[in-house]
């Protein structure tokens, strides 16, 4: 752990932007900017219920998870062809590289697309090709995590898994997302057990709007390796102790939490509390096109609101590499780059 001296707000902001980091909680469909939505709609002759880019962006007035999801799925309707998925992922990866993300583990929602008649091969091949190209174009490593939509049935999740298995070499794990309340993790116990047998990494959204009990279920029933969000853990002391002891990472998304009113104000966020309790929290952007900021905005705005320090910055970046599903050699390389970045601020 580096002992970086106290930095001015300006120097700290520079450090946050320049330090290498991994992003572990990014929904690729949530990176679809209004400009690209309109460009793809025009290319694919899709009619949108918005007259302009500005009208669409002004509709991003969410007050809860469901109101966000409604417009999120509408935006995805322009994605029809492999090139569309490639272009979406390519745009995100270029933006991530600009923010000094050196590794990304990208969520995608195949059921959002297969329900519209888009073949799962179209989705996965387009996204995977963009991840592969990012290595040579931007020097960024990227992997895909297939997410099941929890408002749909487990049978639907099983069907999606079977469709995806011929392409298993192109994704590294599975996750669970969409509407949390009323859809506890145990609803998907059998499909996650099957994915575990297949050797896939396992993650799940839990404890964003849902209670701490959902985090327990994600750990004990689904047997996930990471918890996506997890901010409600602070309401259960025994859970907090377990997460700290077992170093189970939380992929926290501060601006998303504020936008969806999980916390009324960013100054109310519990990221610092999670870190100070010894939890392996990380910072991520979730759905950056909708929630007002990519990963560096999440870092800089949250640090300013909470008065966090350079020590927190190092811990968050280090946690992101430690929690990632990369091999030990690549992790070591990234940590060395992180250490080198901090040495310039000593």
């Amino acid at each position: 752990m580096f002992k970086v001296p106290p930095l001015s707000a300006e120097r700290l902001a520079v450090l946050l932007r320049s330090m290498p980091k991994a992003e572990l909680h990014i929904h690729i469909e949530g990176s679809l900017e209004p400009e690209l939505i309109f460009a793809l709609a025009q290319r694919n002759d899709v009619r949108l219920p918005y007259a302009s880019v500005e009208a669409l962006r002004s509709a991003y007035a969410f007050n809860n998870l469901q109101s966000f999801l409604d417009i999120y799925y509408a935006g995805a309707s322009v994605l029809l062809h492999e090139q569309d998925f490639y272009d979406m992922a390519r745009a995100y990866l270029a933006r991530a590289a600009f923010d000094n993300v050196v590794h990304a583990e990208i969520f995608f929602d195949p059921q959002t697309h297969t329900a519209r008649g888009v073949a799962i091969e179209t989705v996965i091949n387009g996204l995977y090709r963009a991840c592969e190209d990012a290595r040579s174009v931007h020097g960024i490593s990227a992997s895909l995590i297939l997410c099941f939509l929890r408002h749909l049935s487990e049978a639907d999740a099983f069907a999606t898994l079977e469709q995806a298995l011929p392409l298993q070499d192109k994704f590294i794990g599975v996750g669970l997302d969409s509407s949390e309340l009323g859809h506890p993790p145990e609803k998907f116990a059998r499909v996650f057990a099957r994915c575990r047998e297949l050797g896939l990494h396992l993650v799940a959204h839990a404890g964003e709007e849902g209670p701490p009990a959902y985090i327990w279920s994600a750990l004990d029933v689904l047997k996930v390796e990471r918890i996506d969000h997890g901010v409600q853990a602070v309401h259960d002391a025994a859970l907090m102790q377990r997460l700290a002891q077992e170093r189970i990472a939380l992929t926290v998304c501060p601006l998303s939490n504020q936008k969806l009113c999980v916390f009324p104000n960013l100054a109310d966020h519990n990221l610092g509390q999670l870190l100070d309790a010894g939890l392996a929290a990380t910072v991520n952007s979730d759905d950056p096109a909708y929630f007002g900021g990519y990963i560096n905005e999440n870092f800089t705005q949250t640090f300013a609101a909470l008065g966090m320090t350079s020590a927190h910055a190092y811990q968050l970046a280090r946690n992101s590499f430690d929690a990632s599903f990369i091999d030990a050699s690549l992790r070591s390389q990234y940590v060395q780059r992180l250490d080198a970045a901090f040495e310039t601020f000593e």
Side-chain angles (χ1 to χ4, degrees), residues 29-219:
E29 293 90 351
S31 71
L32 196 55
E33 294 284 350
E35 291 81 2
L36 186 53
I37 289 176
F38 267 81
L40 295 179
Q42 183 175 30
R43 186 163 85 188
N44 294 330
D45 197 26
V46 173
R47 185 179 299 275
L48 294 171
Y50 303 97
S52 65
V53 169
E54 293 72 22
L56 175 56
R57 197 179 293 279
S58 68
Y60 292 2
F62 320 113
N63 53 26
N64 59 48
L65 181 60
Q66 191 57 54
S67 62
F68 153 67
L69 290 170
D70 291 342
I71 195 167
Y72 171 88
Y73 294 130
S77 68
V78 302
L79 300 163
L80 297 176
H81 307 292
E82 181 178 321
Q83 190 63 36
D84 303 333
F85 291 92
Y86 175 88
D87 289 346
M88 173 175 62
R90 180 184 62 180
Y92 161 72
L93 287 161
R95 187 63 177 77
F98 179 80
D99 279 355
N100 290 298
V101 171
V102 295
H103 176 71
E105 294 178 4
I106 298 172
F107 297 148
F108 69 103
D109 292 333
Q111 290 155 293
T112 297
H113 313 296
T114 55
R116 299 181 290 109
V118 178
I120 200 166
E121 295 84 359
T122 297
V123 178
I124 295 176
N125 286 334
L127 298 177
Y128 181 77
R129 186 158 54 91
C131 291
E132 288 296 289
D133 287 353
R135 299 175 194 274
S136 57
V137 175
H138 300 294
I140 180 174
S141 58
S143 303
L144 298 174
I145 294 177
L146 184 158
C147 288
F148 301 121
L149 298 179
R150 70 199 305 155
H151 68 275
L152 301 178
S153 68
E154 186 180 46
D156 201 320
F158 264 116
T160 298
L161 177 63
E162 292 304 314
Q163 292 170 22
L165 284 184
L167 299 159
Q168 186 179 342
D169 61 320
K170 295 181 178 177
F171 60 96
I172 64 166
V174 298
L176 187 63
D177 63 10
S178 187
S179 310
E180 186 180 8
L181 292 174
H183 303 285
E186 52 266 31
K187 176 181 173 182
F188 295 89
R190 291 176 299 170
V191 72
F192 267 71
R194 174 62 179 143
C195 292
R196 192 164 59 254
E197 291 173 356
L198 292 166
L200 291 163
H201 289 291
L202 307 177
V203 300
H205 285 49
E208 177 188 12
E209 291 186 328
Y214 281 19
I215 302 176
W216 284 106
S217 293
L219 295 172

Side-chain angles (χ1 to χ4, degrees), residues 25 229 231 250-254 257 269 271 274 281-285:
H25 188 151
H229 290 297
V231 293
L250 305 182
T251 62
V252 180
C253 306
N257 292 160
H269 203 283
L271 177 62
L274 295 171
T282 64
V283 166
N284 309 270
S285 64

